[in-house]
Amino acid sequence: MNSIASYNLVPDGDSSIPRFREAGDVMLDLFHRDGRVEDQWLGLHPREFELFWRLAEQPGIPMTRQQLLADVWRINFEPETNSVAVHVARVRAKLQPFGLSKVLATHPEGGYFLDAPSDPGSFEVSV
């Protein structure tokens, strides 16, 4: 799997954080900390949103459980819970009514990735 050197939660002074991030047919909105499909909000909880936002930052790039724990949960140890899997399942359940639950994919070697183009026609999965 590809490894991300470091995830910077705060951009440098020359860049800004985008308000919106496209995840296929889902539009994530940082201001509302929720996602919507067309005109319907998903009702994401804070960690669900952060998980989705993080995966949408680099579509097609697998993120390990440890990377997600560090970037989303901000912990650098292995908790004895399946919190990442539970949150992925919850987001998938909220995407199910729109037929989009497969957008959050499980990588065969472990971890998760966003299986949706951020720009139509420019998407490739990095394996």
Side-chain angles (χ1 to χ4, degrees):
M1 267 192 224
N2 291 338
S3 162
I4 314 280
S6 73
Y7 177 61
N8 191 359
L9 295 173
V10 181
D12 59 22
D14 295 335
S15 61
S16 61
I17 299 172
R19 175 177 173 184
F20 299 104
R21 185 165 282 159
E22 288 183 38
D25 291 334
V26 180
M27 178 63 70
L28 297 172
D29 184 332
L30 186 61
F31 180 76
H32 289 285
R33 298 187 60 77
D34 201 355
R36 66 177 196 268
V37 178
E38 296 179 8
D39 63 344
Q40 291 191 306
W41 292 100
L42 297 175
L44 298 172
H45 293 283
R47 284 266 164 80
E48 295 168 354
F49 175 81
E50 290 176 38
L51 172 71
F52 205 168
W53 182 267
R54 180 64 183 103
L55 293 172
E57 183 175 30
Q58 296 176 302
I61 307 282
M63 301 282 306
T64 66
R65 181 176 183 271
Q66 292 78 18
Q67 288 172 310
L68 292 169
L69 286 168
D71 293 351
V72 175
W73 279 258
R74 299 185 187 124
I75 58 174
N76 293 313
F77 61 90
E78 261 317 297
E80 295 185 22
T81 67
N82 60 347
S83 187
V84 176
V86 168
H87 282 77
V88 168
R90 288 178 181 166
V91 174
R92 285 177 177 159
K94 290 178 180 183
L95 293 169
Q96 181 61 39
F98 305 100
L100 299 172
S101 62
K102 293 182 180 181
V103 165
L104 291 188
T106 302
H107 193 273
E109 296 176 18
Y112 302 95
F113 65 97
L114 182 74
D115 190 12
S118 56
D119 297 323
S122 67
F123 180 72
E124 291 182 27
V125 175
S126 300
V127 181

